[in-house]
Amino acid sequence: MGYAPDALLVAVVLAGVWLLWTVVRYVQADRGTRVSMRQAVRVRWGWVRLARMAGLTVTDKTPSLLAQLTAQKDGAAPAPRVLTPKIKVTPDRFGVIVQARTLPQVGLEEYQKSARFLADAWRCTRVSVLPDSPGKVVIRGVRSDPLTTPTTHRPTGRPPTDLTRWELGVDEYAAGVCVSLANVPGVTVAGVPGAGKTSGVNKFVCDFAPSPSVQIATADGKVSQASEGDYADLVKRMFAFCGDDLDEANALFKRLVELRKRRSSTIRDVLGVKNMWHAGPSPEWPLTVLIIDEAHTFFREYKGSDAETKRLAALTAENARLVEDLVKKGRSVGILVILISQKTTGDAIPTFIRDVCPIGLSFAQKTVEAAVAALGEDIRNWPDASPVTLQDPAYVGVAVMAMQGRPGYTRIRTPYVSDADAARVAEDTSHLTADPDLLLDALLDTTGGRTMPDTGESDNTPAPLTK
């Protein structure tokens, strides 16, 4: 009994510390998180009652050892126990994340069937249930819709820790969405003008620009020179840039195809592997990204009998052949092509290029046919996720894509990167810009690797493009 006052004092101190910590967290939180913190309290306090009403409890007719001993002493039959899953609730800006345990006959399927009841009880816009670790599920309830809540992204200016991860944004449950770029030869991005296509790619450039293991070239079909358009602030971090001039674009594509050929012929000698992704990008052998914006500009079919039209038709046909080479053969040597167009139908991006790109994103579209071209026929079976439903101005910056490991399609809110931040990142990282061809020359000189033998083709040494 002599320890009771001390134990009580310790309990009071711990309770006071916990209360103070909770108050400090509440004061420092933003408005949305404060609402979620109050919501989390209601979820915890009302869980036992709600679980019973939603059928998320199980009756255990086998008495515990204590109940058996008590029953033997009193001479009464022990009453069955009603077991309620234990939960842990975490609030954030958009709602609550509930980690719940499973019970016999109360598993993932039962939680998913009860999702709409949980949404009503917790006053959430939507609730999702996904498996967590064995014996646990994660229930995500969002009070406000992340898809209609514009978000901004301020680049840190620090190199990414993992060059295989492209962090796109958050899904409709405010969970982070990222895709792996390892062994990806191409990405297609579609959507009507002003839907957020270029902004999403700008974030990609800003996030990867601080790494010397990434080099970027761009062909922008919307402008005539580098000082114009959406990439004017980022061009300092690009080793090559061209506008809508078909001759310049053709020279750039030839230049990158020759880089692909040289890398293919020297990769084993220089890196000791057949696939660059087995070693990873490096400053000497960087991931080389080609961004082709308004891609239809460089692939369109010209029809006519005059000499100039025939010349342009031959150029666009060759452009398609060159980009096909990069997409089909550039994966293992670290070349990634990002193709952006309003519609990714066959007349905008040839199907022999589009269908090889494993990652496809679509912002708002006006027709189902355009959505199918961007995402595949299966999007017809998921009308609620179709980019046709994203035409409201509230959905500017929202894209749809198929995610590996998830059924159907995922809608993603991509954050906005301001022009000032983009210009700051490009300026601060401009010293990292390097021509991959020159880097390969230096690497071959260092390692004593061989170069690709001269084939005698006229396009082996294209004239270098300047920014």
Side-chain angles (χ1 to χ4, degrees):
M1 295 297 294
Y3 295 104
D6 294 336
L8 180 60
L9 178 61
V10 171
V12 170
V13 170
L14 292 177
V17 171
W18 175 84
L19 181 61
L20 178 63
W21 176 71
T22 302
V23 171
V24 170
R25 282 184 56 217
Y26 186 84
V27 171
Q28 292 180 340
D30 57 67
R31 181 178 179 182
T33 305
R34 290 178 185 175
V35 176
S36 297
M37 292 174 73
R38 297 195 296 270
Q39 181 185 21
V41 173
R42 294 196 303 270
V43 170
R44 293 189 193 99
W45 286 357
W47 172 245
V48 173
R49 183 183 179 191
L50 177 61
R52 291 180 179 179
M53 291 190 294
L56 296 176
T57 59
V58 63
T59 300
D60 186 0
K61 296 182 180 180
T62 303
S64 64
L65 178 60
L66 179 61
Q68 293 180 34
L69 295 175
T70 303
Q72 290 176 2
K73 182 178 179 180
D74 297 341
R81 295 179 299 158
V82 177
L83 303 181
T84 303
K86 294 181 180 180
I87 63 171
K88 178 182 178 182
V89 187
T90 305
D92 64 9
R93 176 186 175 191
F94 294 99
V96 292
I97 301 173
V98 180
Q99 291 178 304
R101 291 188 175 276
T102 60
L103 294 173
Q105 299 183 6
V106 180
L108 176 64
E109 185 177 350
E110 285 69 33
Y111 279 106
Q112 291 175 335
K113 288 180 179 178
S114 300
R116 62 190 183 97
F117 301 116
L118 299 179
D120 292 338
W122 294 344
R123 301 174 189 173
C124 289
T125 303
R126 62 175 71 92
V127 165
S128 74
V129 182
L130 296 173
D132 192 12
S133 56
K136 293 182 181 180
V137 298
V138 174
I139 308 172
R140 175 53 163 156
V142 289
R143 186 186 60 262
S144 56
D145 190 351
L147 297 181
T148 59
T149 305
T151 57
T152 57
H153 173 69
R154 183 173 175 80
T156 64
R158 295 190 297 270
T161 56
D162 187 352
L163 292 177
T164 66
R165 287 171 55 91
W166 179 9
E167 297 181 357
L168 294 173
V170 297
D171 65 11
E172 54 197 304
Y173 298 100
V177 177
C178 68
V179 296
S180 174
L181 296 179
N183 288 297
V184 171
V187 177
T188 60
V189 183
V192 297
K197 302 186 301 296
T198 304
S199 177
V201 176
N202 279 352
K203 179 182 181 299
F204 170 88
V205 176
C206 289
D207 285 348
F208 284 87
S211 173
S213 299
V214 178
Q215 299 297 336
I216 302 168
T218 299
D220 188 358
K222 299 192 302 294
V223 301
S224 298
Q225 53 189 359
S227 60
E228 303 171 352
D230 299 308
Y231 301 99
D233 296 320
L234 297 172
V235 74
K236 290 183 179 180
R237 186 55 182 90
M238 299 176 180
F239 71 88
F241 182 95
C242 72
D244 57 1
D245 186 281
L246 292 183
D247 291 292
E248 290 185 5
N250 185 260
L252 173 59
F253 299 156
K254 286 181 178 178
R255 176 179 173 182
L256 291 174
V257 168
E258 290 309 311
L259 172 66
R260 197 278 305 162
K261 291 179 179 178
R262 294 185 65 206
R263 284 187 169 186
S264 295
S265 66
T266 59
I267 186 170
R268 288 194 184 189
D269 294 335
V270 174
L271 299 184
V273 294
K274 294 186 294 184
N275 188 331
M276 183 277 293
W277 291 105
H278 294 164
S282 65
E284 296 77 21
W285 191 294
L287 171 64
T288 303
V289 182
L290 170 62
I291 299 172
I292 308 178
D293 204 340
E294 298 297 332
H296 52 274
T297 302
F298 308 105
F299 303 137
R300 61 171 291 191
E301 294 184 9
Y302 285 85
K303 297 181 180 179
S305 57
D306 60 283
E308 180 62 14
T309 301
K310 289 182 177 180
R311 188 185 74 85
L312 294 177
L315 269 179
T316 55
E318 186 178 24
N319 287 343
R321 178 182 64 80
L322 294 169
V323 174
E324 179 189 15
D325 179 284
L326 294 174
V327 173
K328 291 185 175 180
K329 301 178 182 179
R331 172 187 59 82
S332 61
V333 296
I335 295 178
L336 169 67
V337 181
I338 300 178
L339 300 120
I340 310 169
S341 184
Q342 296 175 24
K343 295 191 300 181
T344 54
T345 49
D347 57 335
I349 300 178
T351 55
F352 53 78
I353 296 175
R354 182 196 69 192
D355 294 345
V356 181
C357 298
I359 298 176
L361 290 89
S362 179
F363 291 80
Q365 296 285 5
K366 287 189 175 181
T367 65
V368 175
E369 289 70 24
V372 169
L375 300 170
E377 281 288 340
D378 192 42
I379 191 63
R380 297 184 188 272
N381 300 322
W382 302 85
D384 291 342
S386 175
V388 177
T389 64
L390 302 178
Q391 298 183 56
D392 189 284
Y395 291 112
V396 171
V398 177
V400 180
M401 72 174 298
M403 294 287 295
Q404 289 184 346
R406 292 193 189 183
Y409 292 82
T410 300
R411 294 183 293 177
I412 306 163
R413 158 63 66 179
T414 61
Y416 171 74
V417 179
S418 69
D419 293 340
D421 283 335
R424 170 180 58 83
V425 170
E427 180 69 32
D428 293 346
T429 62
S430 60
H431 65 283
L432 300 176
T433 306
D435 188 332
D437 264 314
L438 299 180
L439 294 174
L440 182 57
D441 288 339
L443 187 59
L444 290 171
D445 289 341
T446 302
T447 61
R450 60 186 177 87
T451 60
M452 186 181 70
D454 188 357
T455 61
E457 296 180 7
S458 60
D459 61 351
N460 273 353
T461 54
L465 298 181
T466 57
K467 295 183 286 185

